[in-house]
Amino acid sequence: MLTDNVRSKLSALSRRLEEIDRMLAAPETAADMNLFRDLSRERGEIEPIVGRLHAYERAESDLAAAQELAADPEMKAFAAEESTAATHELERIEQELRIALLPIFLEIRAGTGGDESALFAGDLLRMYLRYAEGHGWQTEIVSKNESELGGYKEVIVRIIGRGAYSKLKFESGGHRVQRVPATES
């Protein structure tokens, strides 16, 4: 079951989608292409989540209808099947909603290697920030510990946007770089 906090957040997204639709239908929005583009982009991020919410609500009503049917002795077996199917559907959609609402935290830490490792961590951070920018995701540096030469000993970035989790969920583990220092080249 969705918690009250999650339900209120989803309800707020549903209201925002209705507001965006009203704004997109207004003639003054069509005249301002920047506003139209920004609202369309926001709508594109919110609409799939609200669609999942509506599917969840339909599954809830299906479950309630199946439970009402269970009172009839002739429909008891059918009601049990429908109840099981609706329960599985609720669990599946709930998991999808939780993933859609999850913020992504990306942690990059310099490993063994001192300043060279910190420089590589800075390169990784820039790479991920560009990747996020290219996908239209919002990024926010939550915490950082910079090194003396411009890299990072540790940095934590929050990434928000549609599809961020699905694209970044396998990004984990250690990365190794073998650089030839300027003193040895």
Side-chain angles (χ1 to χ4, degrees), residues 1 8 10 21-22 30-31 39 46 49 51 54 57 79 85-86 89 97 105 108 112 115 118 121 127 137 140 165 178:
M1 292 298 289
S8 67
L10 290 169
D21 286 343
R22 281 192 304 275
L39 288 172
I46 293 174
I49 297 170
H54 294 316
E57 290 168 346
E89 183 70 3
L97 284 170
F105 288 95
I108 300 173
T112 307
D115 290 333
M127 179 194 72
W137 302 332
E140 171 191 357
Y165 178 79
Q178 183 79 36

Side-chain angles (χ1 to χ4, degrees), residues 3-179:
T3 64
D4 291 338
N5 186 30
V6 172
R7 279 188 188 273
S8 67
K9 189 171 189 174
L10 290 169
S11 294
L13 285 175
S14 183
R15 287 190 303 274
R16 177 64 181 155
L17 183 64
E18 291 171 5
E19 179 184 355
I20 290 171
D21 286 343
R22 281 192 304 275
M23 291 171 71
L24 285 172
E28 58 270 7
T29 303
D32 183 355
M33 288 310 293
N34 288 331
L35 177 61
F36 184 81
R37 183 184 61 244
D38 292 343
L39 288 172
S40 296
R41 183 175 295 140
E42 185 179 356
R43 187 186 192 290
E45 291 175 7
I46 293 174
E47 194 268 333
I49 297 170
V50 173
R52 293 283 76 202
L53 172 62
H54 294 316
Y56 187 86
E57 290 168 346
R58 282 191 302 273
E60 279 182 324
S61 68
D62 290 348
L63 180 60
Q67 290 171 344
E68 286 180 21
L69 281 177
D72 184 358
E74 293 178 9
M75 301 297 284
K76 195 167 191 147
F78 176 72
E81 289 176 24
E82 289 297 310
S83 180
T84 302
T87 302
H88 289 309
E89 183 70 3
L90 281 171
E91 291 170 357
R92 184 184 66 76
I93 296 171
E94 182 178 345
Q95 181 65 22
E96 290 175 2
L97 284 170
R98 288 187 190 278
I99 288 172
L101 295 175
L102 269 178
I104 307 299
F105 288 95
L106 175 69
E107 294 184 36
I108 300 173
R109 299 176 193 271
T112 307
D115 290 333
E116 285 293 320
S117 179
L119 289 172
F120 180 61
D123 291 343
L124 278 177
L125 174 65
R126 283 186 291 284
M127 179 194 72
Y128 279 113
L129 291 177
R130 275 202 182 129
Y131 184 76
E133 181 183 326
H135 283 81
W137 302 332
Q138 298 172 355
T139 59
E140 171 191 357
I141 294 181
V142 176
S143 165
K144 63 182 174 181
N145 184 2
E146 296 182 51
S147 74
E148 294 143 14
L149 295 179
Y152 292 94
K153 294 177 184 175
E154 175 189 67
V155 63
I156 299 172
V157 180
R158 182 175 180 227
I159 301 175
I160 305 165
R162 182 174 179 212
Y165 178 79
S166 65
K167 296 273 188 188
L168 298 174
K169 65 184 171 186
F170 297 115
E171 291 295 313
S172 67
H175 298 283
R176 181 175 183 271
V177 65
Q178 183 79 36
R179 292 188 184 194

